[in-house]
Amino acid sequence: MASGSAFLQFWLTDRARDTFLSFIPREELPSVRLACHDFSVRAAPLLFEETTITFRASTFTKPARMAALDRIGHHIRALTFSMAHDAATFLPPLLDPVTGEEVTFVYEPYVQSSKDSSSRLSNPTYGSWEMTDMLVKQYSPLFHSAANVPSFIRAFSALPSLKHLKISCPGQEAAQRYRRCIVDYALISIRIAVERSNLPLLDTLTLASIHPGALLYLNPSMGFGARPNSVKKWKRITKLTICMDSIPLTPYLPPDHLKLLHSYLHVFASSLTSIVFRWKGDKCLSPLSLDKELWLQEKSPEMACPRRCHLALRPLKFEKLQMMEVENVVVDASQISGFITAHRHTISEFNFEDTHLRNGTWDQALAPLTRISGSERWKEKAEEVMDVPLLFSPVGIEEKTVVDYFNCKSSSFRPSIGAWQKAGAKGRELFWGTPEHMKRFLRTSIFSWR
């Protein structure tokens, strides 16, 4: 009885209970919830705080799933929406059933609530009854679920505590970049759902492994179904992370996707405090300095709208930016220098990962730091990070053999036997390791190591 009272006192202490639950592995929380009703209630916020939804045809339309989302939705703080490109998301050409000719489908999102049965029966979902009939017969249920905007709005309305939205749609082939697929219709529905749902805490957006064309459907200023207040809804985002499939840098391909990226980043120019951008695949241009690329400013006669497309790109200026990171980019030193100078009043941290300078040096790129600080003391705090190989010594190999190997095979590292003999005991110990060198780490190795 005494132990039960002590546990009850511990369990009813919020800080002690929450700390205890935070140390329980996530995969064991469902078992904890089965113990009793109070355990279920207390463990639910931690279990459903981060939730992943892999979109299927019945994800937002099956009543049982929506009822479950209504019960746990207020616990969700971070939501990952995943929909990979595959054979099921490919859309073939729409054909006229009588003539066999390809039919052009002009999409306009239908946002009328499905609860209004009279409106749903009087207005066709896809513009006309003929088009609706062709789409129902020729396209899979996954397409109709992705284009079901009211179901997305209902789902996001059940997430009042959502702070972080992550969208992942990997796997698009390069040959399909100018074709619309089911994933794109789902992105349109997500954007409209966020704009028409009450999500006061949403401030972080992550676009992980997205294709370049996705930004056309996520852009609230030019996307399908956008309203005058759409941009205002997205200005609540203060932290943006993008990992995008690389765009080939060839003069024969139109720069549409790069211009879409530039336009999309302009939406958040007045609100972002942190931006992280990574190219997936080959290196590509820095998205923060596309207005400095001359070949993007040139007028192309192949463009469908030459009067609009040749307009100069406006420079990106983030009014509240504090942290910036770019990875796997090609950039000029002058572009980095200009960006730092333009944001010198707000930015406090910037990282350049796997960045290649086409022109100039890093001293030139970071020269504004010297002008801003008035000295070069910042160089004393600069860190250069590199990968250093760790060499293990297999059993049966003599020290002299390894040294001879490096003398023969390595052009940059050539230690001599004399220098090796002059090295102190501490230096040899660091190279070969102590008798207990990595013993615990290599204990389970299938090889024989010393």
Side-chain angles (χ1 to χ4, degrees):
M1 188 68 180
S3 60
S5 301
F7 177 78
L8 184 61
Q9 182 180 2
F10 160 78
W11 188 254
L12 295 179
T13 304
D14 294 344
R15 186 173 182 180
R17 180 190 63 246
D18 294 343
T19 303
F20 167 73
L21 290 175
S22 66
F23 281 93
I24 298 179
R26 183 180 179 86
E27 59 272 11
E28 296 182 8
L29 285 176
S31 301
V32 173
R33 297 188 69 217
L34 297 176
C36 67
H37 178 268
D38 192 66
F39 278 33
S40 175
V41 173
R42 305 296 184 182
L46 291 175
L47 179 60
F48 301 113
E49 183 178 11
E50 298 181 1
T51 302
T52 299
I53 294 178
T54 301
F55 188 74
R56 297 289 185 267
S58 60
T59 298
F60 293 150
T61 56
K62 194 173 183 178
R65 293 185 177 180
M66 296 308 300
L69 186 61
D70 290 335
R71 291 194 299 270
I72 68 172
H74 61 283
H75 297 307
I76 299 178
R77 302 290 188 273
L79 175 67
T80 300
F81 181 92
S82 178
M83 187 176 183
H85 292 262
D86 53 25
T89 62
F90 175 79
L91 287 177
L94 192 63
L95 303 179
D96 186 287
V98 178
T99 64
E101 297 180 353
E102 183 176 354
V103 178
T104 301
F105 172 42
V106 180
Y107 178 63
E108 182 178 353
Y110 183 83
V111 297
Q112 185 68 33
S113 175
S114 58
K115 295 181 179 180
D116 189 354
S117 59
S118 60
S119 176
R120 179 167 54 87
L121 295 176
S122 59
N123 297 322
T125 304
Y126 303 108
S128 66
W129 291 113
E130 293 79 6
M131 180 62 66
T132 301
D133 182 66
M134 283 191 292
L135 290 172
V136 169
K137 292 180 179 178
Q138 299 185 34
Y139 283 174
S140 66
L142 183 61
F143 164 78
H144 301 285
S145 297
N148 189 349
V149 179
S151 67
F152 279 77
I153 297 177
R154 182 178 182 276
F156 277 83
S157 299
L159 312 174
S161 302
L162 184 65
K163 291 178 60 65
H164 183 185
L165 175 61
K166 181 178 180 180
I167 301 175
S168 177
C169 44
Q172 187 189 53
E173 298 180 2
Q176 304 296 328
R177 285 187 174 174
Y178 287 90
R179 290 187 59 91
R180 192 178 301 167
C181 66
I182 296 179
V183 175
D184 299 323
Y185 289 94
L187 295 178
I188 296 174
S189 299
I190 291 176
R191 198 204 74 244
I192 297 177
V194 171
E195 296 167 1
R196 306 201 180 194
S197 303
N198 185 20
L199 305 173
L201 302 180
L202 181 62
D203 62 358
T204 305
L205 175 63
T206 299
L207 306 179
S209 299
I210 64 167
H211 52 290
L215 300 184
L216 172 63
Y217 310 103
L218 291 174
N219 194 329
S221 63
M222 64 173 64
F224 296 84
R227 299 194 299 181
N229 66 338
S230 296
V231 174
K232 183 179 179 181
K233 290 281 188 178
W234 288 97
K235 285 185 179 296
R236 292 176 299 190
I237 300 298
T238 60
K239 300 176 182 178
L240 176 64
T241 301
I242 300 178
C243 180
M244 180 181 293
D245 294 339
S246 181
I247 300 174
L249 298 178
T250 60
Y252 307 103
L253 293 179
D256 299 344
H257 289 145
L258 290 174
K259 291 188 176 183
L260 286 175
L261 173 59
H262 186 81
S263 175
Y264 183 73
L265 293 179
H266 258 292
V267 174
F268 308 96
S270 62
S271 61
L272 284 186
T273 61
S274 172
I275 180 172
V276 178
F277 188 94
R278 300 181 180 90
W279 287 113
K280 182 180 179 182
D282 297 333
K283 284 183 172 62
C284 195
L285 301 177
S286 171
L288 306 180
S289 56
L290 293 177
D291 59 290
K292 306 297 183 182
E293 301 292 339
L294 297 180
W295 71 283
L296 289 179
Q297 310 287 9
E298 297 176 355
K299 181 177 179 180
S300 176
E302 290 80 12
M303 296 296 179
C305 303
R307 293 184 60 187
R308 176 65 183 88
C309 296
H310 78 278
L311 296 178
L313 300 178
R314 294 179 298 165
L316 279 175
K317 176 64 182 299
F318 299 99
E319 300 175 3
K320 303 177 182 178
L321 188 65
Q322 300 176 8
M323 195 282 289
M324 178 274 290
E325 178 179 333
V326 291
E327 182 176 343
N328 200 29
V329 301
V330 177
V331 67
D332 295 336
S334 60
Q335 296 175 354
I336 296 178
S337 175
F339 185 86
I340 295 176
T341 302
H343 298 82
R344 63 187 182 277
H345 297 298
T346 59
I347 195 168
S348 60
E349 179 184 352
F350 48 87
N351 302 314
F352 298 94
E353 300 286 345
D354 196 14
T355 300
H356 173 68
L357 292 181
R358 289 181 302 188
N359 298 309
T361 63
W362 280 108
D363 286 338
Q364 296 173 344
L366 303 179
L369 296 181
T370 302
R371 295 194 296 268
I372 295 171
S373 61
S375 65
E376 296 187 352
R377 291 184 178 179
W378 62 270
K379 293 184 179 181
E380 300 175 359
K381 300 180 180 180
E383 297 182 1
E384 183 177 356
V385 181
M386 64 181 65
D387 294 330
V388 179
L390 179 62
L391 180 65
F392 299 107
S393 56
V395 172
I397 303 296
E398 298 296 333
E399 298 180 10
K400 185 177 181 299
T401 304
V402 178
V403 174
D404 292 340
Y405 174 81
F406 276 102
N407 282 331
C408 297
K409 298 296 183 180
S410 175
S411 59
S412 60
F413 176 64
R414 296 183 178 274
S416 63
I417 297 296
W420 179 257
Q421 293 174 348
K422 294 180 182 179
K426 185 63 177 178
R428 289 193 294 267
E429 179 179 319
L430 289 175
F431 185 83
W432 291 103
T434 62
E436 297 297 322
H437 175 58
M438 300 296 287
K439 181 177 180 180
R440 186 174 301 176
F441 177 77
L442 300 174
R443 183 173 298 170
T444 58
S445 175
I446 61 174
F447 300 104
S448 177
W449 295 89
R450 176 173 61 195

